[in-house]
Amino acid sequence: HKLCYKHSSTTAQELRLCIEDQEEVEESPVDEFGMTPFHVLFSSVEPSEELLEALLYRFPYYVLGWKDANGKLAMDYLVTNWTGDNKILLQMTLQNWMLSRLTSWGATSWMEVMENRVHDML
């Protein structure tokens, strides 16, 4: 969480190393506000694509569906703070959140259809 709060001075490598250290401790991915690292990253003015990649690699897709203490999903913050640069972040997030489920079900053809729809939306 701390590194996501300080995203402008955090590198993806620093975040990956911190995540690896925390895996050993098995800390909860939720802070006192019910926010996941995705919530924190997306609530910033300029979220980083590299940090998002590191988070998507580490956390399972269903963490993106968790709501914080205000009842908001992480993607709610991304859309609220929308800029044209956030398009790729939303695309990465939707692909991970929606398509990872379909892949785990073995629904390859359905996954391809949904992937195309995500691309069309954005």
Side-chain angles (χ1 to χ4, degrees):
H1 284 93
K2 290 178 187 176
L3 292 179
C4 288
Y5 279 115
K6 298 177 182 179
H7 77 283
S8 62
S9 62
T10 301
T11 67
Q13 182 62 22
E14 289 172 325
L15 182 59
R16 284 186 198 99
L17 291 173
C18 180
I19 289 171
E20 288 174 14
D21 289 344
Q22 288 185 355
E23 283 180 354
E24 296 171 9
V25 179
E26 295 186 23
E27 289 187 25
S28 170
V30 178
D31 67 11
E32 62 271 14
F33 304 108
M35 297 179 86
T36 67
F38 294 107
H39 286 91
V40 175
L41 181 66
F42 289 162
S43 65
S44 65
V45 177
E46 294 181 18
S48 162
E49 184 179 337
E50 292 79 21
L51 296 184
L52 177 59
E53 282 180 11
L55 294 175
L56 290 173
Y57 178 78
R58 163 56 179 95
F59 294 102
Y61 68 86
Y62 57 81
V63 174
L64 289 163
W66 292 359
K67 293 183 179 181
D68 66 9
N70 294 315
K72 292 186 175 187
L73 297 170
M75 286 186 286
D76 292 332
Y77 290 98
L78 182 64
V79 173
T80 299
N81 299 321
W82 186 258
T83 67
D85 295 335
N86 290 354
K87 179 179 176 180
I88 187 70
L89 301 176
L90 182 60
Q91 185 177 31
M92 291 168 60
T93 305
L94 286 174
Q95 284 182 330
N96 187 278
W97 191 35
M98 294 171 58
L99 302 180
S100 292
R101 296 178 197 197
L102 298 176
T103 301
S104 68
W105 296 341
T108 309
S109 62
W110 194 22
M111 183 197 71
E112 291 171 1
V113 169
M114 292 305 293
E115 187 172 26
N116 288 334
R117 289 201 177 152
V118 168
H119 285 287
D120 291 344
M121 287 183 338
L122 303 171

